[in-house]
Amino acid sequence: MILSPFEWTIAKRYMLPGRGEAFIALVAGISLVAVMLGVAALVIVMSVMNGFRAELLDKIVGLNGHAIIQAYGGRLDNWQDILKKVEATPGVTRASPLIEQPLLASFNGRVEAILVRGNTSQDIARIAQKRVAGSFADLKPGSDTVVIGSRLAENLGAQVGDTITIINPQGRSTPFGTVPREIGYRVAAIFEIGVYDYDNAFVVMPIPDAQTLLLTGDSIGMIEVTTRDPDKVMDYLGPLKEQLAGRAVVTDWKTINASLFEALAVERVAMFVVLSIIVLVAVFNILSSLIMLVRAKTRDIAILRTMGATRKSLLKVFVAIGFVIGAMGTLTGLALGMLFLFFRQPIVHAVEYVTGQNLWDPSIRFLTDLPSRSDPVEITVICIMALVLSFLATLYPALKAASTDPVQVLRYE
């Protein structure tokens, strides 16, 4: 919709407050602010929800792979042959043997539940990228060294160089019963994955050391698999799943974390619908301000009609006024949302300082920091939705203005 110089002049005149029109200008300003806040809220919430899902997926899948092949009974014998079959499967980019067992760890009288992970040197090298203290160079088979999560180190009070005791209830049998197996390991390094549950429980060591600790011989617990596309993991592993039927079960990341990611998907849709109502309320403000403007300018509209202004011109003028308010609110809301996302962590800390409340407890939120990942497609949809609703809100008052009968208005002038 292109406005002529005459139409644009009238539109600008009506958008600027005149004498006796301060209230109309105030309502129009409130409408702009309401659209701005609605768009900003949508951009912020959807970006945080996307970031939360993406960060969880990156960290959980990045550490555990896209699928797990686990033997019935927890021990996978002759795993080398299965590993070769997995590596030869089309679509698989990486396959690694893994041992994972919940145990106990103690240090200076403190006892914590832990999750012992026996990893290959390649997997340990990937975890080394998350190191916050110490060195992974000493983590070698037979060295009796481990690396632990940052939260676990805090809970135990252990630091790099300290020796923690790992307790395995399945120890040696004696005439007096089974004696738990207790082995001391030196803490070579501390890492931080960024997922609270992992940093709070993981103790990583080489696979041979884990086999010795757990008395499993040459067997392992599972094989973790990484594929080219996480969403097609079962398409890749379908034939292999049939071959391993009765020996092992293949579980993908969607099944392992189904409840978490399904809850996130439902919450994401619900938040979008609820926050869209804010934009809808702002659009009704635009509608009310335009109706007030049309009623205040009825005499001016009648005079313009007598001077030759067409119904189409008046329609375009009032549509342009409302659309400009919506467009300015959308653009400023988009800028405000991006500014908030850029400074999101300092803002969270500032609110925590003012309120005295912990707004982002990692033990509840899984992640240590507030994540954000903006989707250009979603942001475009949000902006288009706000602009379309703003346009629709202008139609009724614009049609009302265009249908003004100058004879009826100016009869007694």
Side-chain angles (χ1 to χ4, degrees):
M1 181 179 65
I2 301 176
L3 273 66
S4 66
F6 160 72
E7 294 165 348
W8 185 242
T9 301
I10 299 299
K12 287 193 295 183
R13 170 67 185 82
Y14 285 174
M15 279 189 287
L16 298 175
R19 281 185 295 180
E21 301 169 355
F23 183 72
I24 298 176
L26 176 63
V27 174
I30 292 174
S31 303
L32 189 150
V33 172
V35 174
M36 176 188 71
L37 294 178
V39 171
L42 271 172
V43 169
I44 292 169
V45 171
M46 297 310 294
S47 297
V48 169
M49 293 294 293
N50 288 337
F52 194 82
R53 183 185 186 279
E55 286 293 315
L56 273 179
L57 183 59
D58 289 344
K59 293 181 183 297
I60 292 175
V61 173
L63 190 64
N64 292 329
H66 298 156
I68 295 293
I69 300 175
Q70 188 169 17
Y72 293 108
R75 291 193 179 187
L76 193 62
D77 298 316
N78 300 323
W79 55 270
Q80 293 87 349
D81 295 335
I82 299 176
L83 182 63
K84 291 178 181 178
K85 291 181 180 180
V86 175
E87 292 174 337
T89 302
V92 174
T93 58
R94 185 180 62 85
S96 298
L98 173 67
I99 294 176
E100 193 170 273
Q101 182 70 35
L103 296 176
L104 294 175
S106 66
F107 178 74
N108 280 349
R110 299 183 183 180
V111 179
E112 293 288 336
I114 62 171
L115 196 62
V116 171
R117 283 176 65 97
N119 284 121
T120 63
S121 57
Q122 292 83 1
D123 292 332
I124 291 174
R126 290 167 49 228
I127 300 175
Q129 300 173 7
K130 307 295 183 179
R131 178 185 63 86
V132 295
S135 172
F136 277 68
D138 296 335
L139 193 63
K140 298 177 181 179
S143 60
D144 290 336
T145 58
V146 294
V147 295
I148 64 176
S150 57
R151 299 282 176 176
L152 178 60
E154 292 177 6
N155 294 338
L156 288 174
Q159 299 178 353
V160 174
D162 291 337
T163 299
I164 64 173
T165 300
I166 297 180
I167 305 169
N168 179 11
Q170 295 180 349
R172 66 181 185 275
S173 298
T174 69
F176 302 99
T178 302
V179 176
R181 185 176 177 82
E182 299 182 9
I183 301 179
Y185 293 90
R186 184 176 64 86
V187 177
I190 298 173
F191 61 86
E192 185 169 318
I193 301 296
V195 179
Y196 180 85
D197 288 351
Y198 294 170
D199 296 333
N200 191 52
F202 275 6
V203 173
V204 179
M205 62 179 64
I207 282 183
D209 290 358
Q211 291 172 334
T212 301
L213 172 64
L214 300 173
L215 303 173
T216 59
D218 189 43
S219 65
I220 62 171
M222 61 192 76
I223 296 176
E224 61 176 15
V225 183
T226 304
T227 59
R228 284 197 298 264
D229 187 349
D231 293 322
K232 298 180 180 179
V233 59
M234 293 312 294
D235 294 336
Y236 299 137
L237 300 179
L240 186 64
K241 183 177 180 180
E242 295 178 359
Q243 296 178 22
L244 296 176
R247 297 177 57 195
V249 59
V250 180
T251 309
D252 66 347
W253 64 273
K254 296 179 183 178
T255 304
I256 297 172
N257 306 284
S259 59
L260 175 61
F261 285 102
E262 286 178 6
L264 285 176
V266 172
E267 185 177 358
R268 185 167 169 268
V269 174
M271 293 299 293
F272 182 85
V273 173
V274 170
L275 292 175
S276 296
I277 297 176
I278 299 178
V279 179
L280 190 60
V281 171
V283 165
F284 278 111
N285 286 336
I286 295 176
L287 175 64
S288 62
S289 65
L290 284 178
I291 291 174
M292 294 172 61
L293 181 62
V294 170
R295 290 182 63 86
K297 298 295 184 181
T298 300
R299 184 172 179 274
D300 292 1
I301 294 170
I303 294 174
L304 288 172
R305 287 295 311 280
T306 60
M307 294 175 63
T310 64
R311 293 178 183 272
K312 182 179 179 181
S313 292
L314 293 173
L315 181 70
K316 291 165 65 176
V317 165
F318 284 93
V319 168
I321 294 171
F323 188 78
V324 167
I325 293 174
M328 291 177 62
T330 301
L331 292 176
T332 51
L334 181 60
L336 178 63
M338 291 300 178
L339 187 65
F340 185 96
L341 291 174
F342 185 78
F343 294 104
R344 62 188 183 279
Q345 208 59 43
I347 291 174
V348 170
H349 293 325
V351 174
E352 288 178 340
Y353 178 78
V354 172
T355 62
Q357 300 294 323
N358 185 2
L359 301 181
W360 194 261
D361 187 353
S363 62
I364 300 174
R365 311 291 185 182
F366 292 102
L367 303 178
T368 54
D369 294 322
L370 178 65
S372 171
R373 183 171 295 187
S374 300
D375 185 352
V377 175
E378 274 190 354
I379 291 178
T380 302
V381 169
I382 291 170
C383 293
I384 291 176
M385 180 188 70
L387 293 175
V388 169
L389 291 176
S390 300
F391 173 76
L392 293 177
T394 65
L395 293 181
Y396 174 75
L399 289 171
K400 197 73 174 175
S403 62
T404 300
D405 185 356
V407 175
Q408 296 294 331
V409 175
L410 301 176
R411 174 178 293 178
Y412 301 107
E413 294 292 331

